[in-house]
Amino acid sequence: MATLEPGDADVAAADAFDKSDASTGAPLPAEDAGRGGVLGPEHRALSIGIVSVVLLIAFEAMAVGTAMPVAARELDGIALYAFAFSSYFTTSLFAMVLAGQWADRSGPLAPLATGISAFGAGLLLAGTAGTMWLFILGRAVQGLGGGLVIVALYVVVSRAYSEKLRPAIMAAFAASWVVPSVVGPLAAGTVTEHLGWRWVFIGIPVLVVPPLALALPAIRRMASGPADPSAAPAAFDRRRIRLALGISVGAGLLQYAGQDLRPLSLLPAVAGAVLLVPAVLGLLPGGTWRAARGLPSVVLLRGVAAGSFVAAESFVPLMLVTERGLSPTMAGLSLAVGGATWALGSYVQSRPCAEPYRERLMAGGMVLVALAIATVPSVLIASVPVWIVGIAWGVGCLGMGAVIASTSVLLLKLSAPREAGANSAALQISDGLSNVLLLAAGGAAFAALGGGAMSGHAAAAATGAAGAATGSHPAAFAAVFLPMAVVALVGVWVATRVRVPGRGEGL
């Protein structure tokens, strides 16, 4: 785990890692550093396999929101609807920490294979569930697998790809979300309507098998085993495992409290904070909360960007349905262009000419995110055309593509080989935790201002039934978007802190 600010020893280790084969510690020949690119003979099978896995996970992530309302109604679980989402996030937070230690100790192969297996098992359990609680359990198992997979993939990238190739493979990860972001909701809606919601979950595990069969042999050859084979395997840090459990339970309690505004909800809120605060301080790099230069600011920026963006995006379709009368499908499609611009932003940051300007690129990306979030609620004014949302969100996704991919690249650049797993877990914890906390804060503000009071027609529209939506409370939506725009602006300042003294040439 990185300390407060990388010192000379940490920088030297990171520099050595950048020039070596992380799985063996041996220097890479100069001609191997970028030979053939990510689709060259050496990396082709691995790149196609892991990007295909990300593609399928992305498709499931985009499709599940379409099927979830139908599943909850059929399982008589509307009252437990939020837990179907929070159970995924809370278990994935725990799994990220476990995966980081596991990958640092024995390599990414085992946690990746286990994670994909758990992800598939969770999908099957959710797809065959007869009660809402079994469905929620399936989502929790799915989250456990998802947390293992995402961290293991980062470690695979750090070990199997040279520093010059990492921006390209990260861009490929981002690009793999483009098609699911456009096709996913429509495909899931069609499957749900004609075959049933269960097939949205049951169909994915079978599709994961081919890319897994392609990727695992390449991972075994290029990225298996501990970072330093000559060293004795490190024991699991039980303290960190306990902290990870605390962060998951604490985040879940805070999310529950944010959705339940009764006075008694203060009790789970306090309990969640008691569990969460020490766990976060113990699992994130020292100095993260004060934006210390280098790795701590990279981790913090990831959370600021992801949390503000996801919290705002979650309310966009609801606003378009209740305030402007769009159908749920059209409201969702208004955000579809974002997949393409996100991939474009990720591609821009991957170009060699962008490397000297990465810090400015990240700051500019956060400016775009803040402008997008602040612009979206303008459609609460009836005279503002709704297509403004599509344009604004496309601009915001352009900034997010540059920022998210850049934080991944910088994290690997600033991590020594044996710290890559733990630091990747910290990055994902910052991402996932900020999603939970800012969604809870936005949801609490929305509910406090009466945003949940939709008329019968609006509620019918929100679930896909016929009927026009009627206005609810515009101030409630503004109370979500405007604070998130302020959070994104804080990210502009954090982006100026990612430069490490003595390593400015890489940033």
Side-chain angles (χ1 to χ4, degrees):
M1 189 81 170
T3 52
L4 179 62
E5 294 185 15
D8 292 339
D10 296 315
V11 171
D15 281 337
F17 177 46
D18 290 340
K19 299 180 180 65
S20 69
D21 179 345
S23 64
T24 64
L28 277 171
E31 66 270 19
D32 287 346
R35 184 177 61 187
V38 296
L39 291 178
E42 181 69 15
H43 295 93
R44 184 179 298 124
L46 177 62
S47 298
I48 293 174
I50 62 177
V51 169
S52 297
V53 169
V54 174
L55 177 69
L56 291 172
I57 291 176
F59 181 84
E60 190 278 336
M62 300 304 299
V64 68
T66 303
M68 194 76 76
V70 180
R73 288 199 303 270
E74 183 173 316
L75 297 174
D76 195 24
I78 294 294
L80 301 174
Y81 184 82
F83 288 97
F85 292 97
S86 62
S87 61
Y88 182 98
F89 287 120
T90 54
T91 55
S92 65
L93 285 171
F94 171 75
M96 288 171 189
V97 177
L98 177 62
Q101 292 196 37
W102 193 354
D104 284 344
R105 184 176 187 270
S106 58
L109 182 60
L112 179 62
T114 303
I116 291 177
S117 299
F119 189 81
L123 285 168
L124 291 175
L125 182 57
T128 58
T131 67
M132 190 60 177
W133 280 115
L134 279 178
F135 182 85
I136 291 171
L137 177 61
R139 291 286 291 164
V141 174
Q142 188 183 343
L144 186 67
L148 291 172
V149 168
I150 190 63
V151 173
L153 285 178
Y154 271 74
V155 179
V156 168
V157 171
S158 74
R159 295 189 179 195
Y161 296 86
S162 68
E163 181 185 356
K164 292 183 179 180
L165 293 181
R166 290 175 199 155
I169 194 65
M170 291 299 178
F173 282 174
S176 66
W177 284 78
V178 175
V179 174
S181 68
V182 177
V183 178
L186 291 176
T190 301
V191 170
T192 300
E193 181 179 351
H194 295 286
L195 298 178
W197 64 268
R198 296 182 184 275
W199 286 100
V200 174
F201 295 89
I202 296 174
I204 297 294
V206 177
L207 299 178
V208 174
V209 174
L212 187 62
L214 185 64
L216 287 183
I219 295 173
R220 185 178 295 108
R221 185 182 76 254
M222 302 173 67
S224 62
D228 185 0
S230 63
F236 281 100
D237 187 339
R238 294 182 180 179
R239 173 181 173 273
R240 285 177 57 81
I241 299 297
R242 289 195 298 270
L243 290 177
L245 185 60
I247 207 173
S248 295
V249 176
L253 289 172
L254 284 176
Q255 188 177 34
Y256 171 79
Q259 295 172 346
D260 185 359
L261 298 178
R262 295 178 301 175
L264 286 177
S265 66
L266 289 175
L267 295 178
V270 171
V274 169
L275 289 171
L276 189 64
V277 172
V280 169
L281 294 178
L283 289 173
L284 297 185
T288 296
W289 297 114
R290 62 181 181 85
R293 285 195 174 274
L295 184 64
S297 286
V298 172
V299 173
L300 178 60
L301 180 61
R302 179 60 162 262
V304 169
S308 60
F309 186 84
V310 170
E313 185 179 49
S314 299
F315 284 88
V316 171
L318 181 62
M319 179 181 67
L320 294 177
V321 168
T322 60
E323 298 298 317
R324 298 302 298 264
L326 269 66
S327 68
T329 299
M330 291 303 298
L333 287 178
S334 68
L335 306 179
V337 69
T341 56
W342 189 304
L344 177 61
S346 184
Y347 172 78
V348 169
Q349 68 80 37
S350 73
R351 307 308 298 160
C353 60
E355 187 62 32
Y357 309 101
R358 189 172 295 280
E359 177 187 348
R360 298 178 186 177
L361 185 64
M362 297 168 77
M366 290 308 303
V367 170
L368 296 181
V369 173
L371 287 174
I373 296 174
T375 300
V376 163
S378 67
V379 299
L380 292 168
I381 303 171
S383 59
V384 176
V386 293
W387 50 258
I388 289 293
V389 172
I391 294 177
W393 217 245
V395 170
C397 286
L398 178 68
M400 283 294 289
V403 171
I404 295 300
S406 289
T407 57
S408 301
V409 171
L410 287 181
L411 178 118
L412 296 178
K413 186 179 183 69
L414 297 175
S415 297
R418 63 181 61 229
E419 295 178 337
N423 289 343
S424 296
L427 191 73
Q428 298 303 321
I429 288 170
S430 178
D431 188 314
L433 180 61
S434 65
N435 287 344
V436 173
L437 296 183
L438 290 180
L439 272 168
F446 185 76
L449 292 177
M454 293 192 298
S455 73
H457 288 297
T463 57
T470 61
S472 55
H473 298 272
F477 288 102
V480 174
F481 290 108
L482 297 183
M484 295 308 157
V486 173
V487 173
L489 282 176
V490 172
V492 177
W493 172 74
V494 176
T496 67
R497 306 281 297 171
V498 299
R499 183 186 298 273
V500 180
R503 294 200 64 172
E505 75 281 1
L507 300 176

